[in-house]
Amino acid sequence: MGRLKQCWSSLLVLAVVVIGTGAVPITYLQSAVAKGAVCLDGSAPAYHFDKGFGSGVNNWIVHMEGGGWCTDVASCNERKGTMKGSSKFMNKDFGFSGILGGKQSTNPDFYNWNRIKVRYCDGSSFTGNVEAVNPANKLFFRGARIWRAVIDDLMAKGMKNAQNAILSGCSAGALAAILHCDTFRAILPRTASVKCVSDAGYFIHGKDITGGSYIESYYSKVVALHGSAKSLPVSCTSKMKPELCFFPQYVVPSMRTPLFVINAAFDSWQIKNVLAPTAVDKGKQWKNCKLDLKKCSAAQLKTVQGFRDQMMRALSPVHSTPSRGLFLDSCHAHCQGGSAASWSGDKGPQVANTRIAKAVGNWFYGRSAFQKIDCPSPTCNPTCPAISTED
């Protein structure tokens, strides 16, 4: 009896630790494999699901993980041996925080919702859909099928009764939230309030340091390899080349579902990969500057400031529509809604004396609109934390 009591005590301590850290177990969607909805290596897609309770039992937030893209067989093969290309390598538990956090104190508007983190293992922002599998590399390009299989599974688990719902994501997952936003709205009940949130997913069709657009050629490779064209919004692909529809500035104007954009004007990923990608920085003059803006020369800072100008122009479809929300800070950061500290913490970024959690919550529930743009320089906002590069 003593041993049994000790065992139960140990289990209770373990349960308290797990609950306290917000660790949510993984769900492997084995039923998706038969539909061909699989990761790059053919393994089952996966997500983490923390069930809603109380007043949030019929509210849902589906948040898509980020992690870049793969543009060719070699880079996709590399991902295949990691959690970004195979569910075999994914951590079994995931700590939920920020927009997914389960504590009322740090996530007051969404803490008791059904909260889902969809793992990212396709390398295409959930847009790939190629039927054929080359026997030489055995790569599966099925991101769009993964997205639909996960949504269908969640509908069967209660999302069909949703009263409120958000499709969100970070980085490549945030881009997916924009690209799939109207489809998500169409799948859910007509009576539900459905909106989308992009955290660091507003990748711009920007000019790089040579005056060209390296990011356009990069996205064209993603779209071609993964067969993404047929999964992108027709409202965009009917007007322009499909790779341009990876840029939200061309998708958002025809979106019907309300969207909130959280972004840094000096987005650290975009400074590194849109403005000064290694492929065009032949002399490596930008190697230090793009990682730490304090190490930029005066001329480089002027170019960085020009990137913000490009960002502002690209965001015009967001701040020209009242139903959309915008939190554009001047931090050198990427993905700011994933941790409690940056989402709602005392030391998190603020724009117009407002933290991200409050801005998004007020917007979602219609308490107040929020479209705020920060002061114009990368050093002007004292609430910007040290560089964050979560993706």
Side-chain angles (χ1 to χ4, degrees):
M1 187 69 182
R3 281 186 183 176
L4 186 61
K5 190 174 180 182
Q6 190 177 14
C7 180
W8 276 113
S9 297
S10 299
L11 284 171
L12 185 61
V13 169
L14 180 62
V16 169
V17 168
V18 169
I19 291 167
T21 56
V24 181
I26 199 166
T27 297
Y28 297 102
L29 193 51
Q30 297 293 348
S31 60
V33 177
K35 302 172 189 171
V38 293
C39 299
L40 285 168
D41 70 334
S43 59
Y47 61 79
H48 302 259
F49 181 8
D50 202 5
K51 288 187 178 178
F53 58 92
S55 61
V57 74
N58 287 319
N59 299 336
W60 296 72
I61 180 163
V62 181
H63 183 85
M64 290 169 288
E65 186 177 36
W69 306 269
C70 56
T71 58
D72 52 32
V73 168
S75 58
C76 291
N77 258 327
E78 275 183 35
R79 290 172 81 96
K80 210 164 73 164
T82 74
M83 65 180 182
K84 297 299 182 193
S86 171
S87 59
K88 294 174 187 173
F89 300 101
M90 291 175 184
N91 41 315
K92 303 294 187 285
D93 297 289
F94 208 104
F96 277 13
S97 61
I99 195 171
L100 290 176
K103 293 181 181 177
Q104 189 173 8
S105 58
T106 56
N107 192 23
D109 284 307
F110 311 117
Y111 75 99
N112 63 351
W113 286 33
N114 294 283
R115 287 158 291 112
I116 297 96
K117 186 178 184 90
V118 184
R119 302 304 297 270
Y120 182 43
C121 64
D122 64 273
S124 71
S125 282
F126 298 90
T127 63
N129 196 1
V130 177
E131 180 64 37
V133 178
N134 187 330
N137 57 54
K138 295 179 183 172
L139 285 167
F140 294 80
F141 303 115
R142 305 283 178 77
R145 294 193 201 183
I146 290 174
W147 185 83
R148 188 58 198 246
V150 168
I151 297 300
D152 288 347
D153 192 58
L154 295 175
M155 289 292 282
K157 287 179 176 173
M159 197 163 69
K160 64 180 184 292
N161 301 315
Q163 293 171 349
N164 294 293
I166 291 173
L167 183 67
S168 68
C170 151
S171 192
L175 174 59
I178 293 172
L179 297 176
H180 289 292
C181 184
D182 281 344
T183 303
F184 184 69
R185 161 66 280 182
I187 293 169
L188 268 75
R190 274 185 293 177
T191 52
S193 174
V194 180
K195 300 184 181 184
C196 300
V197 176
S198 164
D199 180 12
Y202 210 94
F203 299 96
I204 69 168
H205 188 202
K207 285 188 167 60
D208 60 45
I209 53 173
T210 68
S213 182
Y214 175 80
I215 191 67
E216 182 184 329
S217 62
Y218 181 88
Y219 279 158
S220 70
K221 292 175 187 173
V222 175
V223 169
L225 180 68
H226 293 266
S228 301
K230 52 185 173 286
S231 305
L232 297 170
V234 177
S235 57
C236 179
T237 56
S238 61
K239 297 172 188 168
M240 58 189 77
K241 297 184 294 185
E243 57 264 32
L244 294 181
C245 299
F246 250 59
F247 296 110
Q249 67 202 78
Y250 304 128
V251 174
V252 170
S254 56
M255 277 178 66
R256 299 180 302 279
T257 310
L259 170 70
F260 195 105
V261 172
I262 305 161
N263 230 94
F266 302 98
D267 184 292
S268 56
W269 191 93
Q270 296 199 55
I271 296 288
K272 279 190 293 187
N273 298 285
V274 177
L275 179 64
T278 303
V280 303
D281 182 24
K282 303 298 184 187
K284 297 187 178 179
Q285 289 100 328
W286 282 79
K287 185 180 177 183
N288 295 322
C289 165
K290 66 183 181 180
L291 298 177
D292 182 355
L293 299 186
K294 295 187 193 76
K295 295 179 179 175
C296 297
S297 66
Q300 286 173 325
L301 277 176
K302 190 174 178 182
T303 302
V304 168
Q305 201 68 47
F307 178 82
R308 179 186 182 274
D309 296 340
Q310 293 187 66
M311 175 73 77
M312 292 290 288
R313 288 192 293 273
L315 281 164
S316 61
V318 177
H319 52 72
S320 63
T321 306
S323 66
R324 294 176 182 145
L326 176 64
F327 184 104
L328 185 73
D329 62 38
S330 287
C331 306
H332 184 218
H334 186 68
C335 284
Q336 300 175 90
S339 73
S342 55
W343 174 245
S344 61
D346 291 342
K347 295 182 179 177
Q350 296 180 46
V351 176
N353 296 313
T354 306
R355 295 185 177 90
I356 301 170
K358 186 177 181 182
V360 175
N362 284 350
W363 166 83
F364 183 86
Y365 281 111
R367 294 189 292 254
S368 62
F370 194 92
Q371 288 196 7
K372 301 294 181 184
I373 294 167
D374 206 356
C375 48
S377 85
T379 56
C380 67
N381 185 339
T383 70
C384 284
I387 184 168
S388 165
T389 55
E390 175 203 344
D391 68 10

